[in-house]
Amino acid sequence: MDNTTPHEADLPDGASADPRRISRKGLLKAAIVVSAAPLLAGGGVALARDAASSGEGALLAPTPQCDDGDDTTPPQMEGPYFKPNSPRRTSLVTPSTPGVPLTVSGYVFGRACRPIPGALLDFWQADTNGSYDMAQYAFRGHQFSGADGAFSLTTIVPGLYPGRTRHIHVKAQAPGGRILTTQLYFPGEPRNNTDALFDPELLMNVRSVGNGRQGTFDFVLDVAQTPGPSDPPTDPPGGTWTPGTNYRAGDRVTYGGVAYRCRQAHRSMTGWEPPNVPALWERG
């Protein structure tokens, strides 16, 4: 077992009293290879569900697919820059921290694609110049997934250093479970083709927002779970959007072959289809 920040038993960061149900098929994500569009050139990387409907791009394997019997998030080497006992925090930056702002968010699931609350996530990365802080704990921090399995990290896009493409290190551990040590990667990076450690299954989905970037990734840990009787593997994420339905924040639906996530609770009605009301629904 790797060294890691000890798993604390207190309440998870961002825990909520009403956990959201996440359907297994709602996790089907993948990045497409856009060799001519490096991360800092603007424009995010399309999700597989978008590219599949438009016929654009070459699809990679799902990241991760999360279904009964599918592989969990693949591990990767720890590397020489890990330090135990990182501070507990969800932001690794201050308003004056140099670099391109980045948020990384997603969920932690077990093998049956049910959320894992209180999962430990310990992140570390290089600064904008490609250097790791080994004296203190800059760009290092751990947090716990919420009651719905969600996590969010505020940081910057890590810099490059010799031999590696851009990446973020992470250790993920379910309460009392084994530790997954892995790395997250950015789509469209030229060095992805030359980095011997790069794994396309560990690509985040990244898009440009203002002067920063937003990345998403869902971890699937090797934790046995029993699927809920109302959550069969073939169901779409939350079902197809229908009028006259009470939706809660966080609910996921499909409409026109595209997945959406509910921003705020409401009762749906004709004319409020997800693509028509961005205040209520966001793609993804």
Side-chain angles (χ1 to χ4, degrees):
M1 181 177 291
D2 302 307
N3 291 328
T4 186
T5 303
H7 197 294
E8 301 172 12
D10 51 354
L11 291 177
D13 292 336
S16 62
D18 185 16
R20 297 196 289 265
R21 293 175 59 251
I22 308 299
S23 171
R24 286 187 280 283
K25 293 301 182 184
L27 306 181
L28 186 59
K29 293 186 187 178
I32 61 173
V33 177
V34 188
S35 58
L39 173 67
L40 300 183
V45 175
L47 294 173
R49 53 186 170 239
D50 299 326
S53 62
S54 64
E56 298 175 356
L59 298 182
L60 296 174
T63 313
Q65 190 164 359
C66 191
D67 198 353
D68 293 335
D70 284 340
D71 291 337
T72 55
T73 301
Q76 289 217 316
M77 65 180 295
E78 178 182 278
Y81 301 116
F82 174 71
K83 288 181 63 175
N85 303 317
S86 69
R88 179 175 176 176
R89 56 191 179 190
T90 58
S91 176
L92 307 184
V93 297
T94 67
S96 61
T97 300
V100 177
L102 170 70
T103 60
V104 179
S105 61
Y107 295 88
V108 183
F109 298 93
R111 295 192 67 92
C113 288
R114 300 181 70 82
I116 298 179
L120 170 69
L121 295 164
D122 195 352
F123 296 95
W124 71 101
Q125 67 170 80
D127 63 19
T128 192
N129 297 314
S131 298
Y132 287 85
D133 178 13
M134 299 303 295
Q136 299 296 327
Y137 287 92
F139 296 105
R140 301 174 185 272
H142 74 273
Q143 60 179 278
F144 295 88
S145 61
D148 55 1
F151 72 92
S152 181
L153 176 72
T154 302
T155 182
I156 61 165
V157 174
L160 295 168
Y161 58 92
R164 294 303 315 275
T165 189
R166 298 186 200 276
H167 62 281
I168 296 175
H169 295 269
V170 59
K171 288 180 180 287
Q173 180 187 19
R178 300 182 63 181
I179 301 167
L180 167 70
T181 301
T182 193
Q183 302 179 35
L184 303 182
Y185 294 98
F186 296 78
E189 285 291 323
R191 290 196 187 182
N192 288 351
N193 298 323
T194 59
D195 189 329
L197 293 178
F198 171 74
D199 185 343
E201 292 188 49
L202 295 170
L203 277 168
M204 295 182 288
N205 291 309
V206 180
R207 64 173 182 165
S208 298
V209 178
N211 65 343
R213 303 290 184 268
Q214 287 184 354
T216 57
F217 189 88
D218 294 328
F219 294 94
V220 183
L221 303 184
D222 190 9
V223 174
Q225 297 174 312
T226 302
S230 61
D231 190 20
T234 55
D235 279 352
T240 302
W241 181 91
T242 54
T245 302
N246 292 318
Y247 290 110
R248 299 177 302 170
D251 285 349
R252 294 173 183 265
V253 301
T254 56
Y255 182 84
V258 178
Y260 292 87
R261 178 178 177 275
C262 182
R263 290 177 178 270
Q264 55 182 307
H266 67 283
R267 183 174 178 83
S268 60
M269 58 182 293
T270 301
W272 286 9
E273 292 80 5
N276 299 334
V277 282
L280 298 178
W281 296 98
E282 63 178 346
R283 292 179 62 149

